[in-house]
Each structure stands twice: as structure tokens, then as C-alpha cells.
Amino acid sequence: MELRVPSPLELSGSLSENWKRFKESYKNYSIGYELDAKSDAVQVAIFKNIVGEEACELLNTLNLSEAQSSKVSNIIQAIDSYIKPKKNLVYSRFLFNSRCQQESEEFEASFLSVKKLADNCDFGTLKAELSRDRLVVGINNKTVQERLLGEEFDLDKVVKICRSVETGKQRANEVSNGNQVHYIKYQPTTFTPTNMATRMG
């Protein structure tokens, strides 16, 4: 079996995407040729040969210790740390706390957005409670909001109520727009001696 050698890491363009693709290719290459069975020194030499000269120059700027430079896993971790953008927790929580359901936005889209924003906020054990609060504060249906404020529901219950209300509203609109009842106008018949004789004849 002969595997394709991964292309060198491109430092231009989206470095994070390039690094992601390179790591995946190198992982498959390493498994295919069982590089783990080789010594650390050989693994490092193969990795540096494949990753390319530009990436090796980048490694030199990271000032890795001798211990870090002696294992491929440590080198990969160092590049990960360099490429991964630093999280701005204040900004992440600002985005979370500013998220409100838009006028024409479905609840499900708003809920998924709140969940995704919460993932970047390091809320820990408070994540579910704070996500629930954000949904209640940001929902655009004031009638439902008043109901949610009237009792302390957990996140699952809030989501269930909001989904149920939206589904009911959608069904009501479908009935109103698509299933109208058509009435036949009643026109009373005026009987005269002539048409009465005709009907009786």
C-alpha cells in the first residue's frame, strides 16, 4: 500500500483551515505507515520533512524547549496553540447577552444561536440556567414572555413551551390561509301562480 504524502502546510490564506487539512492528511499518513512504531527522533524528522520549510521556520519562532521539540505530538500542540485564536470572554458574553429573537425569526433558529453562543462563554454549571434566561429575555412574543416570567421553568420546559406556541400559531395560520369554508349564497324563490303551476304540473 502506498499513501500520498501530504502537501506542505500553506501559511498563506486561512492558516487555521490549512492547518486543519494538513493535520488530517498527516494523521492518515502516520496511521497508514505506522509511524508510531518508529522512534521519536525519526517521527519528528518525517514530520518536519512533510510539513515544509515555511512551517519549520514558524516552529523556530515559537522557541520550543528541547522536550517539546522531541515529540511530534508536542510540536502539533504548539502549532495548535499558535494558530488557535485567543478567546475574548467579555466579547463572547456580550454577544450572548445581546442575542434576541428577531421579528420574523423562528424560535428554533433563535434557540440554536443561543446554544452556540453559550458554548463560547465558559458558563460551567450555569450554562443551562443562563441560556434559559437569555431565551426568556429575548423572545419576541410578549404574551409567551409573560407566561414564562410567571413561573420558574427550567430550560427544557421553556423550550417546550416556546415550540408548542409557535407550532400552534403556524397551524392556525395554515387553517386561516388554506382551508377557508366557501358558502353558497341562498336566494329565496318567489312563487307566482305561473311558476307554481309549472312546478305542480
Side-chain angles (χ1 to χ4, degrees), residues 93-102 117 134:
R93 291 182 178 179
F94 168 79
L95 293 177
F96 174 84
N97 290 316
S98 302
R99 185 61 166 90
C100 293
Q101 184 182 13
Q102 301 303 305
L117 290 171
R134 187 66 246 157

Coordinates of all heavy atoms in Angstrom, one line a residue, residues 93-102 117 134:
R93 N -19.4 36.9 25.8 CA -20.6 37.1 26.7 C -21.5 38.3 26.3 O -22.7 38.3 26.5 CB -20.2 37.2 28.2 CG -19.6 35.9 28.7 CD -19.2 35.9 30.1 NE -18.7 34.6 30.6 CZ -18.2 34.4 31.8 NH1 -18.2 35.4 32.7 NH2 -17.8 33.2 32.1
F94 N -20.8 39.2 25.7 CA -21.6 40.4 25.2 C -22.5 39.9 24.0 O -23.7 40.3 24.0 CB -20.6 41.5 24.7 CG -21.2 42.5 23.9 CD1 -22.0 43.6 24.5 CD2 -21.2 42.5 22.5 CE1 -22.6 44.5 23.7 CE2 -21.8 43.5 21.7 CZ -22.5 44.5 22.3
L95 N -21.9 39.1 23.1 CA -22.8 38.6 22.0 C -23.9 37.7 22.6 O -25.0 37.8 22.1 CB -21.9 37.7 21.1 CG -20.8 38.5 20.3 CD1 -20.0 37.5 19.5 CD2 -21.4 39.5 19.4
F96 N -23.6 36.9 23.6 CA -24.7 36.1 24.2 C -25.8 36.9 24.8 O -27.0 36.7 24.6 CB -24.0 35.2 25.3 CG -25.0 34.4 26.0 CD1 -25.5 33.2 25.5 CD2 -25.5 34.8 27.3 CE1 -26.4 32.4 26.2 CE2 -26.4 34.0 28.0 CZ -26.9 32.8 27.5
N97 N -25.4 37.9 25.6 CA -26.4 38.7 26.3 C -27.1 39.7 25.4 O -28.1 40.3 25.8 CB -25.7 39.5 27.4 CG -25.2 38.6 28.6 OD1 -26.0 37.7 29.0 ND2 -24.0 38.8 29.1
S98 N -26.6 39.9 24.2 CA -27.3 40.8 23.2 C -28.2 40.0 22.3 O -28.9 40.7 21.5 CB -26.2 41.5 22.4 OG -25.4 42.3 23.2
R99 N -28.2 38.7 22.4 CA -29.0 37.9 21.4 C -30.4 37.9 21.7 O -30.9 37.4 22.8 CB -28.4 36.5 21.4 CG -29.1 35.6 20.3 CD -28.8 36.2 18.9 NE -29.1 35.2 17.9 CZ -30.3 35.1 17.2 NH1 -31.3 35.9 17.6 NH2 -30.5 34.3 16.2
C100 N -31.2 38.5 20.8 CA -32.7 38.5 21.0 C -33.3 37.8 19.7 O -32.7 37.9 18.6 CB -33.2 39.9 21.1 SG -32.7 40.6 22.7
Q101 N -34.5 37.3 19.9 CA -35.2 36.7 18.7 C -35.7 37.8 17.8 O -36.3 38.8 18.3 CB -36.4 35.8 19.2 CG -37.1 35.2 18.1 CD -38.3 34.4 18.6 OE1 -38.7 34.5 19.7 NE2 -38.9 33.5 17.7
Q102 N -35.3 37.8 16.5 CA -35.8 38.8 15.6 C -37.2 38.6 15.3 O -37.9 37.6 15.5 CB -34.9 38.7 14.3 CG -33.4 38.9 14.6 CD -33.1 40.2 15.3 OE1 -33.4 41.2 14.8 NE2 -32.4 40.1 16.4
L117 N -23.8 30.3 21.1 CA -23.1 31.4 21.7 C -22.7 31.1 23.2 O -21.6 31.5 23.6 CB -24.0 32.7 21.8 CG -24.2 33.4 20.4 CD1 -25.3 34.4 20.5 CD2 -22.9 34.0 19.9
R134 N -31.7 33.8 28.9 CA -31.5 34.6 27.6 C -32.7 34.4 26.7 O -33.1 35.3 26.0 CB -30.2 34.1 26.9 CG -29.8 34.9 25.7 CD -29.4 36.3 26.1 NE -30.4 37.3 25.6 CZ -30.5 38.5 26.1 NH1 -29.9 38.9 27.1 NH2 -31.4 39.3 25.5

